[in-house]
Amino acid sequence: MDEIDDLLGTSNNNNYKKQNSKNNWKEQNKKRNDAYKKMDDMSFKISKDGNIFMQYLNILSRFEKYSVGNCLLILESEPNAIQIKEKKDWIDKGYDTLENAKSMTILEPNKVDGKVYYNPKDEYDISQTNAPIPKEKTYTNKEMLLAIFSICDKENVTRQVVDALPNGNKGAEYIESENKLYMCRGLKPEYLIKTVIQEIARIEMRNFENSEMKEFKTYCISYMLCKKYGLDISKFDFSNLPKDLTNKAKGKEIREELDDIRTNFIEINSKVAEYFEKEEKSKKNKEQAR
C-alpha cells in the first residue's frame, strides 16, 4: 500500500513531492533572475542604438497593456511578435504550437498578502503556432481625423483651419497659451494627419516641464500612433537619442523614462480606440434597425 501511495503522490510522507516543489522553485527563481538581467541588458541596448529603440517602440505599439519590462523581454526574444499567449491558451482556442516552437519568458505580477511578486511565465507568439495571422484594421483619412478631433473635444481644445501657422510654417501646431490647435488647409491628407497626431501628443504631454526629453517623448508617442494605425513612418529618425536617456547609469532609470512614454501613449490610444468602438457600435445598431 505504501508503494501505491508513493507512486500516486498520496503518501503522508511524500519526500518526492517536497523535492519536486523545491526543484521547481529553484528553476522558477533562475528564470526570474534571467528575465531581470535581460531587462537590464535590453534597457541599455535600446538607450544606445536608435534602430533597436525603434524596434522597442514597435513592440510597445502592439503590446501597450504589457509593462515596459515585459516589452523589453518580448523585444529580446521576438522583435516581430504580434500576439502572445501561454501554450494552454492557444490550445484552448483550437491551435497548436509548431514543432520546435520557441517560447519567451515574461514576468506576471501576483499579489499575495499585500505584496506583489513577479512569476516567470512562458508564452508563444502567434508566429510559433498554426493560428492565422490577424489582419490589421485600416481606417480612412477622414476616420482618423475624426478620431483625433474627438480627443481635442475631450480636452476642450479649440481648432482653427488657417492658410499658414502662427509661426509661418505649414502643418499643425498646438498653442498652449491659447489651448488651440491650428491646422493648415491644402496639405496632403496623410501629412496633415501625422502633424496633427504629433500635436495631440504634445497636448497629452503639456503638463511636463519643457525639456529635450519632453520633446523626445512626444516624438515617440506620435511615432507609435502612426505605426499602430498604418501611417507612413519612413521619415521618423531615432539616430540621435537624448543624452538624458543614453547617460543613465541604471537599467531601472531608463525604464522609468520609458514608462512615461508608455503611460501617455496608452492615454491617447485608448481615446482613439474608444472613438472607433463607439462608431462601430453605432454602425451595427443602424444596420440592425433597417
Side-chain angles (χ1 to χ4, degrees), residues 91-201:
I91 292 173
D92 287 344
K93 286 188 171 292
Y95 304 113
D96 294 316
T97 53
L98 303 176
E99 187 177 356
N100 300 320
K102 180 184 175 184
S103 67
M104 64 183 77
T105 299
I106 65 170
L107 297 180
E108 182 179 50
N110 288 284
K111 196 170 184 179
V112 180
D113 297 330
K115 294 183 178 180
V116 179
Y117 298 88
Y118 293 89
N119 298 325
K121 184 170 72 169
D122 290 335
E123 301 211 345
Y124 294 83
D125 181 51
I126 193 171
S127 62
Q128 302 296 310
T129 74
N130 62 355
I133 304 296
K135 291 182 179 180
E136 293 186 5
K137 189 167 178 59
T138 59
Y139 300 95
T140 66
N141 293 326
K142 183 178 180 179
E143 287 172 331
M144 280 303 305
L145 277 175
L146 287 172
I148 295 166
F149 289 164
S150 72
I151 298 176
C152 291
D153 295 337
K154 287 186 176 182
E155 298 292 334
N156 296 316
V157 175
T158 58
R159 302 186 298 273
Q160 184 174 341
V161 179
V162 294
D163 291 318
L165 299 176
N167 61 17
N169 294 328
K170 292 282 188 178
E173 183 179 6
Y174 171 66
I175 305 296
E176 187 171 349
S177 60
E178 301 176 29
N179 198 29
K180 180 182 285 189
L181 177 65
Y182 290 92
M183 299 167 290
C184 287
R185 58 173 59 89
L187 300 176
K188 289 184 178 179
E190 190 162 278
Y191 176 73
L192 172 64
I193 293 170
K194 285 194 291 184
T195 58
V196 170
I197 282 177
Q198 184 153 334
E199 295 310 299
I200 289 296

